[in-house]
């Protein structure tokens, strides 16, 4: 999971930046559709939430207009596993606002804001994973 987070921190902010520069209306539609699915899935199963999240994170890579970046779907299996772990625990934080910030910046074609929004989203993702995978305080060693 740490390796996945590291690769995401390098690739996804850059993809969001480029997506803001090169996105089409079809790309925006894909982001909006994925975000709507995330909103619906948030209160449903962790598998549904993971699939919606994977769709959202695929969209900026596709929106770059770069065929090589569009093939970064190799990250999706790891992303789905991570999301199922995080979304299976209560209380699962609402992921929509952090993802909406990325969508809004891409829609508005503001590359630096898209990149920063993705960095914020990824920092939150690492924090969320840490919250559900760390040992309880009583089980930790001093």
């Amino acid at each position: 999971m740490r390796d996945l987070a590291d690769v995401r921190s390098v690739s996804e902010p850059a993809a969001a930046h480029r997506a803001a520069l090169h996105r089409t209306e079809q790309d925006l539609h894909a982001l909006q559709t994925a975000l709507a699915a995330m909103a619906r899935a948030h209160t449903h199963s962790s598998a549904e939430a993971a699939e919606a999240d994977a769709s959202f994170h695929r969209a900026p890579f596709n929106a770059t207009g770069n065929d090589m970046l569009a093939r970064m779907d190799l990250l999706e299996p790891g992303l789905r596993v991570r999301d199922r772990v995080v979304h299976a625990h209560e209380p699962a934080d609402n992921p929509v606002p952090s993802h909406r910030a990325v969508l809004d910046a891409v829609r508005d074609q503001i590359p630096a804001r898209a990149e920063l929004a993705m960095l914020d989203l990824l920092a939150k993702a690492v924090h969320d994973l840490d919250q559900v995978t760390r040992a309880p305080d009583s089980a930790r060693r001093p």
Side-chain angles (χ1 to χ4, degrees), residues 38-39 42 92-98 124:
M38 288 179 68
H42 176 63
D93 190 24
N94 185 353
V96 173
S98 58
K124 183 181 176 318

Side-chain angles (χ1 to χ4, degrees), residues 54-71:
S55 293
F56 183 91
H57 287 275
R58 180 183 326 114
F61 285 109
N62 291 338
T64 66
N66 181 312
D67 288 338
M68 295 298 287
L69 287 172
R71 294 181 185 179

